[in-house]
Amino acid sequence: GDSVTQMEGPVTLSEEAFLTINCTYTATGYPSLFWYVQYPGEGLQLLLKATKADDKGSNKGFEATYRKETTSFHLEKGSVQVSDSAVYFCALSKVAGNNRKLIWGLGTSLAVNP
Amino acid sequence: KAGVTQTPRYLIKTRGQQVTLSCSPISGHRSVSWYQQTPGQGLQFLFEYFSETQRNKGNFPGRFSGRQFSNSRSEMNVSTLELGDSALYLCASSFGAGGSHEQYFGPGTRLTVT
């Protein structure tokens, strides 16, 4: 079945370090891919998305490229800040007829130290 | 535009009781989804409503039920509460029921069952 696998956390980095959070997926067809972020005590927020192969989503310095050949959607940021400390979720969406499925990874916790 | 609101934000109940949680979607959004978030299981899909009809359902027992009203507001009910139902319950709204699945999340209701 369809699934999303994220690298396990927690990830701990120093401020200004480079961030990569790996996400791979298994799905038939042509899913859309998302990264959501959950700051402490809050709900999830859409961080970026890509709807077709080779699309690059970007927002707030974060980027992720939809790689169909490697079934991946890795999240990257060149220089993290303390305020980026949060849990990051990778997800995929598929539409089949009148139904759609949103499948989530388990989340990766990121802690950025000053 | 106001975001997704959920009430109450915090709730403490006793085993065996029932609880009703409420979600008001973003104005104009007709789809509402519910999720249960726990540290061990991550984000688990409960159900999705669109135009007052349940469109999708996750793998939860029948104690978990929901409904959607004509104004798109949604309620979730859990009967005969168990300790394992303690979780953050998240509601998410989106404009339609098809296409790319960009969801907007509320802050969640933290349910504690004692």
Side-chain angles (χ1 to χ4, degrees):
Chain A
D2 300 328
S3 65
V4 174
T5 303
Q6 288 182 237
M7 64 186 285
E8 288 188 25
V11 174
T12 303
L13 295 173
S14 298
E15 208 164 20
E16 299 183 3
F18 184 84
L19 168 72
T20 299
I21 299 178
N22 290 337
C23 172
T24 57
Y25 68 91
T26 301
T28 56
Y30 303 94
S32 296
L33 300 173
F34 304 85
W35 277 102
Y36 282 81
V37 59
Q38 186 176 31
Y39 298 104
E42 299 183 14
L44 279 73
Q45 303 174 24
L46 177 66
L47 182 59
L48 52 85
K49 67 178 182 180
T51 57
K52 61 183 187 296
D54 300 325
D55 266 3
K56 177 186 281 189
S58 61
N59 186 26
K60 298 181 181 179
F62 291 89
E63 292 183 341
T65 301
Y66 188 164
R67 302 280 187 206
K68 195 162 178 64
E69 64 276 13
T70 55
T71 62
S72 64
F73 192 54
H74 304 323
L75 181 68
E76 296 181 336
K77 186 174 185 182
S79 176
V80 293
Q81 306 300 312
V82 172
S83 57
D84 293 326
S85 299
V87 181
Y88 293 81
F89 292 88
C90 184
L92 74 81
S93 170
K94 280 180 56 173
V95 175
N98 289 327
N99 291 320
R100 61 178 176 181
K101 295 167 55 176
L102 191 63
I103 297 165
W104 296 85
L106 290 181
T108 302
S109 176
L110 170 66
V112 180
N113 298 320
Chain B
K1 205 183 245 190
V4 178
T5 58
Q6 292 187 246
T7 56
R9 291 293 310 277
Y10 302 92
L11 207 49
I12 300 175
K13 290 287 189 178
T14 304
R15 269 181 304 175
Q17 288 185 314
Q18 75 164 19
V19 67
T20 299
L21 312 181
S22 180
C23 171
S24 293
I26 290 172
S27 177
H29 284 191
R30 297 165 63 192
S31 173
V32 172
S33 297
W34 288 90
Y35 296 87
Q36 181 194 68
Q37 186 179 24
T38 57
Q41 299 294 320
L43 206 64
Q44 293 189 286
F45 172 71
L46 280 153
F47 25 67
E48 177 185 12
Y49 286 87
F50 180 79
S51 293
E52 302 179 67
T53 302
Q54 189 179 88
R55 296 295 296 262
N56 287 303
K57 190 176 189 303
N59 296 322
F60 277 80
R63 299 186 296 109
F64 292 81
S65 63
R67 59 179 176 167
Q68 187 181 33
F69 302 95
S70 58
N71 62 358
S72 295
R73 190 178 69 85
S74 178
E75 287 182 348
M76 190 192 92
N77 184 274
V78 188
S79 62
T80 320
L81 284 165
E82 300 176 359
L83 293 179
D85 297 333
S86 294
L88 180 67
Y89 290 88
L90 293 167
C91 163
S93 76
S94 57
F95 179 73
S100 68
H101 197 115
E102 183 170 333
Q103 294 192 314
Y104 296 83
F105 283 80
T109 294
R110 173 76 61 185
L111 172 64
T112 302
V113 182
T114 62

